[in-house]
Amino acid sequence: MRAAVMYGAGDVRVEDRPDPKIVQPTDAVVRVVVSCVCGSDLWPYRSMPATDTGRPMGHEFLGVIEETGADVTGLKAGDLVVAPFTYSDNTCDYCAKGLHISCRNGGRYGFDGVDGGQGEAVRVPHADGTLVKLPAAADSALLPSLLALSDVMTTGHHGAVTAGVTRSDTVLVVGDGAVGLCAVIAAKRLGADRIVLAGRHEARTALGREFGATDVVAERGEEGIARIRELTGGVDKVIEAVGTRPALDIALGAVSDGGTISRLGVPQYEQGPIGPAEFMRNLTLTGGASPARAYIEQLLPDVLDGTIAPGRVFDQEFALDRTPDAYRAMADRQVLKALVRP
Amino acid sequence: MRAAVMYGAGDVRVEDRPDPKIVQPTDAVVRVVVSCVCGSDLWPYRSMPATDTGRPMGHEFLGVIEETGADVTGLKAGDLVVAPFTYSDNTCDYCAKGLHISCRNGGRYGFDGVDGGQGEAVRVPHADGTLVKLPAAADSALLPSLLALSDVMTTGHHGAVTAGVTRSDTVLVVGDGAVGLCAVIAAKRLGADRIVLAGRHEARTALGREFGATDVVAERGEEGIARIRELTGGVDKVIEAVGTRPALDIALGAVSDGGTISRLGVPQYEQGPIGPAEFMRNLTLTGGASPARAYIEQLLPDVLDGTIAPGRVFDQEFALDRTPDAYRAMADRQVLKALVRP
């Protein structure tokens, strides 16, 4: 099969890889229908040291089951399924708590002999625990929005849930990337009245307004904080969907005492400000990597009936062989989120 | 009047100060009956640069109203009152949310011309919003436990509340100081089944067991973490009642993925680990300086009927003139918490 492999910063190649086969009786092989490039794929795209072996890329995909292992009981060949961005057994204590991202038998696509999602097919471990069957056809117009359940939409939702967003809230979303925009959708879905979106990419913030953002703040740094405070008087609930220190600093500057900052972007820093000043302000820092599997069934009806349309974050489509162009276009911020079709 | 003033690290003096008088119409003057030394007073006791002017010390006190300003309506001379460790108007937006520590018109004892609590009398700003009238006599045996509402007990309670402690929980309390021990009381009061107390001072951990700790872990660092994990398999709710990096590291090591660490000790660090590892684990960092005023009325009935007896943390009493000895004894860990009586 053909699949995308990263060999170092800026070096993504689409090449021939062995066709996936059932290894464990709990595996399924999924023929990918749509996949995509994640904002988090851009971090290694910018910084990965060169390697000879390469790393299969992609952790968001939707496809048709081709084959199942002997122990798979809930899925069969021909089923259309979406994969959350990590696999999980859905039975361990963490999964039972809805924290599938910490599954004791879980793991990541592209590691430990498991294929990446940016390819023609994927062997999915713990298929019963991982994959969610979709009541849709493989050529449905809803595929992009269903694919978004794999990561961006369930991640945005995780931010809104952990920030405690509820009816009539004012919420700040920092970042106009695909996750930030999905966080806007999620905050609105949970009843937020006012959603301030901090971002400066006009096409993206325009989409954010369509998703439910009531205000857009394009200013950065202290100026951005001042503008958000002017608009809101300070915000109790912040979703930080970037992962950089400047983004965290905007969150810290705009949040009210006693408020909550939920982080969705993988932090590009090891240490951060959690000293006496933050302590005296009673700030709560929460969020983290989304347990996407826990949220898919919850959000699925709203995607199916069109209440939410997170697939609108995909603004360009690439054939699999053009995956390197998809990375380049996203890294250059020419494309918000690239859909990849084998 | 006589009052304690700190002139630098290790240099506490009891000296003559002007008798407090009503300055603002919302002030009250309180004649102190009992006061005490706080663990947080020990930070400047160890590190404060020498100064000529000095800083009046103490922020926990209970006393009798001597005089009230013209605008004070809820209190009158002769009332026995307890003061939360900061003053607040109880009317601003933060107070309305129960976050009195962030009161827009609030402040700290010993600063801005306001007396400290370790003295014969205190001018209390925003008396109506700050002081809580106690249905007890000035010679009640309950005074130490009522005084504990000023800070340690309401702080321990803040930790249990922000950690989300509820019925049947397993809770880790890091630190066997007075706040840690009160956090044990608070966790038990909110229904925790199992309370692991991390501390190595035997008299204190013994009191912790009487307060409700079911397990004591005396080991430190990695050994302590391993022991807590062996006992519990990881803990969802941690109250960190010290404020040092080693204490935070025990909390981080012992908490389960998806768990919450509530900090009660003023952090003795500016930056801390909130990087990708903590992000992937979905840890929540919360807590902070307690809005004591918000909790006093809530805890008061349990003190009055003897359900909780946080005053047991006071293990030695000092006359006001011996306040310097009280600091020394606490700094040397000979005394857990010193009661000071003018």
Side-chain angles (χ1 to χ4, degrees):
Chain A
M1 68 160 179
R2 304 283 289 167
V5 180
M6 187 179 288
Y7 284 88
D11 184 5
V12 175
R13 309 176 200 166
V14 177
E15 55 188 33
D16 289 322
R17 306 261 307 162
D19 284 326
K21 293 196 177 98
I22 299 294
V23 176
Q24 299 291 331
T26 47
D27 289 347
V29 171
V30 174
R31 176 70 40 185
V32 175
V33 175
V34 279
S35 173
C36 54
V37 181
C38 184
S40 70
D41 292 333
L42 298 181
W43 298 119
Y45 188 71
R46 292 195 185 103
S47 62
M48 181 174 159
T51 156
D52 286 339
T53 49
R55 176 181 138 195
M57 294 299 294
H59 51 258
E60 301 153 281
F61 59 98
L62 176 160
V64 176
I65 303 252
E66 198 166 70
E67 193 187 350
T68 55
D71 292 352
V72 176
T73 58
L75 301 162
K76 61 178 193 306
D79 285 349
L80 186 73
V81 292
V82 64
F85 70 91
T86 60
Y87 55 88
S88 51
D89 63 17
N90 204 21
T91 57
C92 78
D93 56 339
Y94 280 127
C95 287
K97 279 198 262 192
L99 198 66
H100 297 71
I101 189 79
S102 293
C103 175
R104 300 201 186 262
N105 297 300
R108 297 168 66 190
Y109 301 104
F111 293 87
D112 307 316
V114 175
D115 312 286
Q118 291 157 12
E120 290 183 297
V122 178
R123 175 177 72 86
V124 178
H126 298 289
D128 269 334
T130 302
L131 299 168
V132 178
K133 191 175 166 178
L134 298 171
D139 61 352
S140 164
L142 292 174
L143 287 201
S145 285
L146 293 166
L147 174 62
L149 295 175
S150 186
D151 187 342
V152 274
M153 185 60 224
T154 38
T155 293
H157 180 66
H158 186 53
V161 168
T162 53
V165 174
T166 186
R167 210 164 289 277
S168 307
D169 272 347
T170 294
V171 178
L172 168 66
V173 175
V174 181
D176 58 12
V179 168
L181 297 180
C182 286
V184 170
I185 296 176
K188 184 180 164 71
R189 184 178 168 279
L190 291 175
D193 261 357
R194 190 164 190 193
I195 303 171
V196 179
L197 175 61
R200 53 193 297 122
H201 190 297
E202 283 183 19
R204 298 176 186 187
T205 55
L207 184 54
R209 283 190 191 272
E210 290 184 47
F211 283 163
T214 51
D215 304 85
V216 168
V217 171
E219 295 88 345
R220 287 183 172 170
E222 288 303 321
E223 212 183 334
I225 292 167
R227 180 76 186 124
I228 297 162
R229 290 201 156 263
E230 185 184 303
L231 283 168
T232 63
V235 184
D236 284 337
K237 295 166 186 183
V238 181
I239 303 172
E240 192 283 274
V242 183
T244 60
R245 265 306 297 275
L248 179 63
D249 290 342
I250 285 186
L252 288 165
V255 72
S256 297
D257 287 14
T260 299
I261 298 171
S262 174
R263 296 184 301 165
L264 296 181
V266 183
Q268 302 304 304
Y269 47 85
E270 295 289 335
Q271 305 273 321
I274 53 168
E278 292 74 27
F279 175 88
M280 291 309 297
R281 296 183 62 205
N282 272 279
L283 301 183
T284 294
L285 198 61
T286 187
S290 173
R293 179 63 184 81
Y295 299 130
I296 293 178
E297 279 117 333
Q298 196 177 332
L299 297 172
L300 185 54
D302 282 12
V303 170
L304 291 171
D305 73 8
T307 303
I308 60 175
R312 295 184 64 196
V313 298
F314 295 108
D315 55 345
Q316 197 162 327
E317 195 173 314
F318 294 79
L320 178 59
D321 279 336
R322 285 193 57 221
T323 306
D325 297 333
Y327 275 81
R328 204 169 301 120
M330 278 181 62
D332 294 347
R333 298 202 92 198
Q334 286 161 6
V335 166
L336 170 54
K337 192 165 175 74
L339 194 102
V340 174
R341 214 179 269 267
Chain B
M1 68 162 179
R2 303 285 289 168
V5 179
M6 188 179 289
Y7 283 87
D11 184 6
V12 175
R13 310 176 199 166
V14 177
E15 55 189 32
D16 290 321
R17 306 261 306 162
D19 285 326
K21 293 198 176 93
I22 300 293
V23 177
Q24 299 291 330
T26 49
D27 289 346
V29 171
V30 175
R31 176 70 40 186
V32 175
V33 175
V34 279
S35 173
C36 54
V37 180
C38 184
S40 70
D41 291 333
L42 298 181
W43 298 118
Y45 187 72
R46 292 193 184 104
S47 63
M48 181 175 159
T51 157
D52 286 340
T53 49
R55 175 181 138 194
M57 294 301 292
H59 50 259
E60 301 153 281
F61 60 98
L62 176 162
V64 176
I65 304 252
E66 200 166 69
E67 193 186 351
T68 55
D71 292 353
V72 176
T73 59
L75 300 162
K76 61 178 192 306
D79 286 347
L80 186 73
V81 292
V82 63
F85 69 92
T86 60
Y87 55 86
S88 51
D89 62 17
N90 205 22
T91 57
C92 78
D93 56 339
Y94 281 127
C95 289
K97 281 198 261 194
L99 197 66
H100 298 71
I101 190 78
S102 293
C103 175
R104 300 202 186 261
N105 296 301
R108 298 167 65 190
Y109 301 104
F111 293 87
D112 305 316
V114 175
D115 312 285
Q118 293 156 10
E120 291 183 296
V122 179
R123 174 178 72 87
V124 178
H126 297 289
D128 269 332
T130 302
L131 300 168
V132 178
K133 190 174 168 179
L134 298 170
D139 62 351
S140 164
L142 291 174
L143 286 202
S145 286
L146 293 167
L147 175 61
L149 295 175
S150 185
D151 187 343
V152 274
M153 185 60 223
T154 38
T155 292
H157 180 67
H158 186 55
V161 168
T162 54
V165 174
T166 184
R167 211 162 289 278
S168 307
D169 273 347
T170 295
V171 178
L172 168 65
V173 175
V174 181
D176 59 12
V179 168
L181 297 179
C182 286
V184 170
I185 297 176
K188 185 179 162 73
R189 182 178 169 280
L190 291 176
D193 261 357
R194 191 164 188 192
I195 302 170
V196 180
L197 175 61
R200 53 195 295 124
H201 190 296
E202 284 183 19
R204 297 175 188 189
T205 56
L207 184 55
R209 283 191 190 273
E210 291 183 49
F211 283 161
T214 52
D215 304 85
V216 169
V217 171
E219 294 88 344
R220 288 184 172 170
E222 289 303 321
E223 212 183 334
I225 292 167
R227 181 76 186 123
I228 297 162
R229 289 201 156 262
E230 186 184 302
L231 283 168
T232 62
V235 183
D236 284 337
K237 294 166 186 184
V238 181
I239 303 172
E240 191 283 273
V242 182
T244 60
R245 264 306 296 275
L248 179 63
D249 290 342
I250 286 186
L252 287 165
V255 72
S256 297
D257 288 12
T260 299
I261 298 171
S262 173
R263 295 184 301 167
L264 296 181
V266 183
Q268 302 304 303
Y269 47 85
E270 295 289 334
Q271 304 273 320
I274 54 168
E278 293 72 28
F279 175 87
M280 290 310 297
R281 297 182 62 206
N282 272 279
L283 300 183
T284 294
L285 197 61
T286 187
S290 173
R293 179 63 184 81
Y295 300 130
I296 293 177
E297 278 118 332
Q298 194 177 333
L299 297 171
L300 185 55
D302 282 13
V303 170
L304 291 172
D305 73 8
T307 303
I308 60 175
R312 294 183 64 196
V313 299
F314 295 107
D315 56 344
Q316 198 163 325
E317 194 172 317
F318 294 79
L320 178 60
D321 279 336
R322 285 193 57 223
T323 305
D325 297 332
Y327 274 80
R328 205 169 299 121
M330 278 181 62
D332 295 345
R333 298 202 90 199
Q334 286 161 5
V335 166
L336 170 55
K337 192 165 175 75
L339 194 102
V340 174
R341 214 179 269 269

